[in-house]
Amino acid sequence: MNTTRDPALLTALMEAAADAVIVADRTGCILRANPATGKLFGYGDGDLIGQKVNVLMPEALASLHDTFMEHHLKTGERRIIGSGRNVEGKRQDGTVFPLHLSVGRADIDGQILFIGILHDLTERHMADEVLARSQRLDAVGQLTGGIAHDFNNLLTVIIGNLELLQMRGADARQRGLIDDALASAELGADLTSRLLVFARKGNLKPVLVDLREQCQNALALLRRTIGARYTIRTDFADTVGKVMIDPVQLQSALINLALNARDAMPDGGEFLISIADVIIDDDYMAQETDIVPGSYVRLFISDDGAGMTLEAQRRAFEPFFTTKADRGGTGLGLAMVYGFVRQSGGHITLYSELGHGTSFGLYFPIVRETQDAGEAIASVMPTAIPRGSAEVVLVVEDNPRVRKLSIERVRDLGYKTLEAANGDDAYVLLQSGVHIDIVFSDLVMPGTLNGYDLAAKIREEFPDVRVLLTSGYASDVVTSKLGGTKRYDVLHKPYRQSDLAKRLQALL
């Protein structure tokens, strides 16, 4: 049997193909088209037979197609024959979409036939766009986190010096100036903390919660915040899985999203907040390729407002990008939401159409009841700042200004001090046999030993020495990056004098 000419075999092959397959003559007239072709381009069975292949092309390409074919037939030049290229196709409804086209030629009984295989690239383009957006935000997040960390060091110096001035007998006029300066420095610290949330380096305090209960708690505040012209509808599933999130950050995220939606509906409108479990699998991955498969609780916040442009959607989560600069927008709201969700192990999606509204999807991984949800630690702090009794504190800090200030702050609390510029120098000092009660060390330092490495050596070789670590980064981030564990408490920069005093006293 000559299988190359068996019409039944050819029909079976074409019908089995997932990609579109078209057979056309030398004039571009379609002789055969498999069912996948009709499905891809929106035509019914047999509708394409007898039509020119130009009908499947955008106008610019369609007008050139006949010229390309004539040139090939006259010269034999195989510009596209036997190779593939990316082109655009046009569906019956006029929409244009990306394709990969492979063209082959067959000479059968003196008749020239062209076979085209067309693969839809829409999903691949979506995947590339999602990946590019994620990579761009990751790069911006790394830069933002580094800048915020450096600013935290500067703010630590500013706040610390102001507090020392305040504690050393400033008069009433000076105290007023110091209080104003401290308040401004605290605002700066708040800004860097928001930037760190975007960079996924914020200091989250996650607990195991039911997302429906947390949203219900936020609804009363939301209704007061957005005003009477807006209606909030809820659609909560009867049962949902538990998730591990920071309730305060969730409430902040909901408020940010609600205020954004309100601004998109200046004449009033409707919000919908829905919560349900969802399983992310291969079918769902076709649309959202940046999310890890698994079981999630999905929180949808939708509005029927003006919608967002494609450019606004592309840059929505970037810090300082805002479409409301004339109304005081900072461009940090959605950036914080993005960072909070991603740092919580989740994923965020954005869908919007101009004139129809916007919908944000927040996906949080479900935590099994048998998993360790962590323990909440409650402590009662005394109102007075606790002081030391001449205990020796070794201050380990590579930044000279921060080290100088830290020494001053520790001495002001009644301790004696030693200093080291990095973990290696601190370890040498410990080995020398000098008496040290507490090592107060930064986490990220040059040299062989970072803060966690130094703490581990102290735990093993000098068990009587206590350790307090500090960093401008959040402990959950530096733990994974530096190979540490959660056995060591971390004092986050910038900190107040009272925070330092309480931490040192707790170690003793």
Side-chain angles (χ1 to χ4, degrees):
M1 180 179 67
N2 189 346
T3 57
T4 60
R5 296 190 182 185
D6 189 329
L9 178 60
L10 177 60
T11 299
L13 288 171
M14 292 188 69
E15 290 184 351
D19 287 335
V21 181
I22 296 173
V23 180
D25 63 17
R26 60 185 298 154
T27 68
C29 181
I30 297 175
L31 304 178
R32 298 197 66 168
N34 68 339
T37 304
K39 182 179 179 181
L40 179 60
F41 288 92
Y43 289 88
D45 292 341
D47 289 351
L48 288 170
I49 305 304
Q51 296 198 58
K52 298 291 288 291
V53 292
N54 308 53
V55 74
L56 304 178
M57 305 173 188
E59 184 177 346
L61 182 59
S63 61
L64 297 173
H65 177 264
D66 291 344
T67 303
F68 292 154
M69 296 306 300
E70 288 175 9
H71 177 77
H72 166 72
L73 292 171
K74 286 180 181 179
T75 65
E77 183 179 345
R78 302 171 68 87
R79 184 173 299 175
I80 64 169
I81 306 300
S83 62
R85 63 173 180 165
N86 293 340
V87 297
E88 288 185 330
K90 185 180 73 173
R91 295 189 175 92
Q92 187 178 26
D93 62 8
T95 57
V96 176
F97 64 104
L99 286 169
H100 182 80
L101 169 65
S102 301
V103 180
R105 171 175 168 169
D107 296 272
I108 302 175
D109 297 333
Q111 183 180 11
I112 298 175
L113 299 178
F114 295 95
I115 300 93
I117 301 176
L118 304 101
H119 177 71
D120 187 359
L121 294 178
T122 303
E123 291 181 1
R124 181 183 297 179
H125 280 208
M126 290 175 60
D128 290 344
E129 184 178 341
V130 169
L131 179 61
R133 182 172 66 243
S134 177
Q135 290 175 336
R136 184 176 68 253
L137 290 172
D138 284 345
V140 174
Q142 290 178 12
L143 175 63
T144 304
I147 292 172
H149 175 260
D150 289 343
F151 268 103
N152 274 343
N153 274 339
L154 295 174
L155 288 167
T156 299
V157 174
I158 293 169
I159 292 174
N161 279 300
L162 288 170
E163 287 189 319
L164 290 176
L165 287 173
Q166 193 178 52
M167 296 169 63
R168 290 178 179 178
D171 59 35
R173 181 174 175 275
Q174 291 171 334
R175 281 198 299 272
L177 295 174
I178 292 172
D179 288 342
D180 288 345
L182 274 174
S184 297
E186 293 285 2
L187 289 175
D190 179 65
L191 173 61
T192 59
S193 70
R194 287 190 282 167
L195 289 173
L196 285 172
V197 169
F198 164 74
R200 292 176 242 170
K201 296 172 182 176
N203 187 27
L204 299 186
K205 299 177 180 177
V207 294
L208 192 64
V209 299
D210 185 323
L211 207 56
R212 298 169 302 176
E213 295 176 1
Q214 296 300 318
C215 287
Q216 287 286 13
N217 294 338
L219 281 178
L221 178 61
L222 282 178
R223 289 190 172 97
R224 292 195 300 269
T225 302
I226 63 176
R229 289 185 299 167
Y230 303 91
T231 303
I232 299 179
R233 289 196 303 112
T234 59
D235 181 16
F236 296 170
D238 292 335
T239 59
V240 296
K242 295 290 185 67
V243 297
M244 183 73 79
I245 59 171
D246 185 329
V248 175
Q249 289 293 339
L250 174 67
Q251 187 175 82
S252 176
L254 286 172
I255 291 173
N256 272 310
L257 293 173
L259 293 178
N260 269 359
R262 182 195 64 183
D263 293 340
M265 301 182 293
D267 299 321
E270 183 176 85
F271 299 93
L272 172 63
I273 301 177
S274 64
I275 300 174
D277 288 350
V278 62
I279 296 176
I280 306 300
D281 53 19
D282 290 339
D283 293 335
Y284 190 91
M285 291 279 284
Q287 189 171 20
E288 296 298 339
T289 57
D290 193 37
I291 185 168
V292 178
S295 298
Y296 293 80
V297 178
R298 180 180 61 196
L299 168 62
F300 261 141
I301 301 97
S302 306
D303 66 67
D304 56 359
M308 301 169 65
T309 65
L310 290 176
E311 174 67 8
Q313 292 179 55
R314 188 178 70 85
R315 301 186 60 192
F317 300 120
E318 294 180 9
F320 304 117
F321 172 78
T322 179
T323 59
K324 300 178 289 186
D326 57 332
R327 288 168 283 166
T330 64
L332 285 175
L334 290 181
M336 289 176 60
V337 175
Y338 174 87
F340 155 63
V341 174
R342 294 307 296 265
Q343 191 175 350
S344 300
H347 182 75
I348 185 168
T349 62
L350 164 62
Y351 179 77
S352 183
E353 291 187 12
L354 285 175
H356 295 282
T358 301
S359 179
F360 289 91
L362 279 57
Y363 295 76
F364 298 99
I366 292 176
V367 178
R368 297 184 184 90
E369 295 290 348
T370 55
Q371 286 181 255
D372 180 15
E375 296 178 359
I377 302 175
S379 58
V380 178
M381 298 297 185
T383 55
I385 295 180
R387 299 183 58 80
S389 301
E391 293 90 350
V392 180
V393 177
L394 171 60
V395 177
V396 189
E397 169 65 59
D398 60 298
N399 186 307
R401 285 179 297 177
V402 176
R403 184 169 69 249
K404 178 182 177 182
L405 170 66
S406 299
I407 290 171
E408 286 292 317
R409 298 177 86 167
V410 172
R411 286 177 179 172
D412 260 48
L413 292 172
Y415 299 92
K416 296 180 179 179
T417 60
L418 297 172
E419 62 179 288
N422 54 56
D424 297 335
D425 291 349
Y427 183 55
V428 170
L429 193 58
L430 285 161
Q431 286 182 311
S432 71
V434 64
H435 175 74
I436 295 171
D437 295 295
I438 298 175
V439 173
F440 179 39
S441 174
D442 191 28
L443 273 176
V444 182
M445 296 179 292
T448 306
L449 301 176
N450 61 46
Y452 278 124
D453 296 332
L454 177 62
K457 283 187 172 294
I458 292 171
R459 180 183 290 270
E460 181 180 353
E461 301 178 29
F462 310 98
D464 294 333
V465 178
R466 304 291 182 263
V467 178
L468 175 61
L469 301 177
T470 183
S471 176
Y473 288 116
S475 56
D476 54 347
V477 174
V478 292
T479 294
S480 60
K481 297 254 182 170
L482 302 180
T485 70
K486 293 186 178 179
R487 291 181 299 175
Y488 307 104
D489 197 11
V490 177
L491 179 61
H492 297 285
K493 301 174 183 176
Y495 49 82
R496 301 300 295 261
Q497 185 77 345
S498 58
D499 297 326
L500 175 60
K502 293 166 186 172
R503 295 294 185 89
L504 292 173
Q505 188 64 37
L507 291 174
L508 299 171

